[in-house]
DNA sequence: TGACATATATGTGTTTCACATATATGTTAC
DNA sequence: GTAACATATATGTGAAACACATATATGTCA
């Protein structure tokens, strides 16, 4: 972590790009679901960051989720009192940080669920509207 | 557009905030649907930016969508060949720019629809999983 | 010992987003 | 007639989100 040239990495643009043959490639918008998925995963029990990455990727149908952002996100959730963590040094393997959901976190998950139901309704309406006259 | 102090505007954070009474307020993630909604609106005929703002807000159940970002977005879509536009000076009222979907734009809309179906499946799965053990 | 998986972490440029303001014109009420 | 408001397009801008890269340490397995 000192120099990092990063010369010219291809531009990213609103989740879409055109392939060589002119057809479009778009990414299904899933990143806003990562935090809710994470809270949901923790509702079923404690977990480490690395486990959570796998579980969330599985929930969301992603090959992998970005570890850097996940760990940063977890620390932020902890700052906000949504999760708590503690180190497990005694175990075999590299020491891990075990995360658990707080009461505040559970209430946030409930609120997320309501909000996502709204999103789901609107998304369905949008897709219905698309199908209705294609 | 010269000085703009903007001293300290309340922090925004992952679409959530805590209300005074400790309960959570979260915003349903809808902004990724704005571009698809816009293309869909244009599939049914030409429209001005201002009209589109209303139609999209209606589709998505938003009070209003941000005009600044909408107009910038439209110009970008035009640069990318997804929409075309022309001024209507002759009409009454302030002159308007009328947008229309190109063939490329229509093909992008198709691709968006497929991607959003995937998002919908995952979102449903997530919400089902939430309901299954609450 | 070398390759790979587990596990956590920071670096960092680009894009997205929300909020604010500028500008011009048409409409309605007082 | 003018103030208030709606229509219509546009730019400014800082913060947050995102994607991609790298650093570091340890365990496993061939």
């Amino acid at each position: 972590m000192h120099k990092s040239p990063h010369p010219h990495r291809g531009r990213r643009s609103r989740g879409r790009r055109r392939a060589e043959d002119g057809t479009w490639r778009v990414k299904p918008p899933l990143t806003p679901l990562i935090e809710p998925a994470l809270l949901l995963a923790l509702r079923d029990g404690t977990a480490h960051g690395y486990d959570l990455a796998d579980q969330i990727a599985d929930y969301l149908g992603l090959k992998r989720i970005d570890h850097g952002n996940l760990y940063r996100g977890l620390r932020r959730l902890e700052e906000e009192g949504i999760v708590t963590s503690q180190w497990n040094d005694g175990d075999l393997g590299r020491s891990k940080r075990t995360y658990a959901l707080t009461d505040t976190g559970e209430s946030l998950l409930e609120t997320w669920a309501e909000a996502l139901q709204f999103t789901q309704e609107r998304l369905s309406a949008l897709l219905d509207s698309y199908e209705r006259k294609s």
Side-chain angles (χ1 to χ4, degrees), chain A:
Chain A
M1 239 82 84
H2 29 102
K3 31 191 176 139
S4 306
H6 301 331
H8 28 255
R9 300 179 286 188
R11 295 290 154 79
R12 284 155 284 153
S13 171
R14 189 64 265 183
R16 64 162 183 269
R17 59 171 235 271
R18 229 194 286 256
E20 298 76 23
D21 63 357
T23 59
W24 289 99
R25 298 300 143 85
V26 301
K27 285 193 184 177
L30 293 168
T31 48
L33 305 183
I34 290 177
E35 182 181 298
L38 188 151
L39 300 182
L40 183 57
L42 284 177
R43 190 190 58 176
D44 296 333
T46 60
H48 320 295
Y50 204 82
D51 290 341
L52 285 167
D54 285 346
Q55 287 183 57
I56 293 169
D58 187 49
Y59 274 167
L60 300 183
L62 295 167
K63 273 202 271 296
R64 59 186 308 120
I65 77 144
D66 186 85
H67 282 184
N69 294 333
L70 176 68
Y71 287 114
R72 267 187 291 243
L74 281 166
R75 267 175 284 134
R76 188 146 80 118
L77 290 173
E78 188 164 20
E79 281 170 31
E80 296 184 73
I82 294 159
V83 301
T84 52
S85 78
Q86 56 177 45
W87 284 101
N88 295 65
D89 306 306
D91 305 32
L92 298 179
R94 196 197 190 298
S95 48
K96 307 171 189 183
R97 200 190 271 277
T98 301
Y99 286 93
L101 204 57
T102 64
D103 289 345
T104 299
E106 282 192 52
S107 112
L108 175 58
L109 175 56
E110 270 180 63
T111 310
W112 264 126
E114 286 163 34
L116 292 182
Q117 269 153 27
F118 187 81
T119 297
Q120 191 188 27
E121 284 161 26
R122 292 297 153 171
L123 178 52
S124 294
L126 194 69
L127 287 170
D128 285 352
S129 185
Y130 172 78
E131 298 295 348
R132 242 195 300 284
K133 186 199 153 222
S134 209

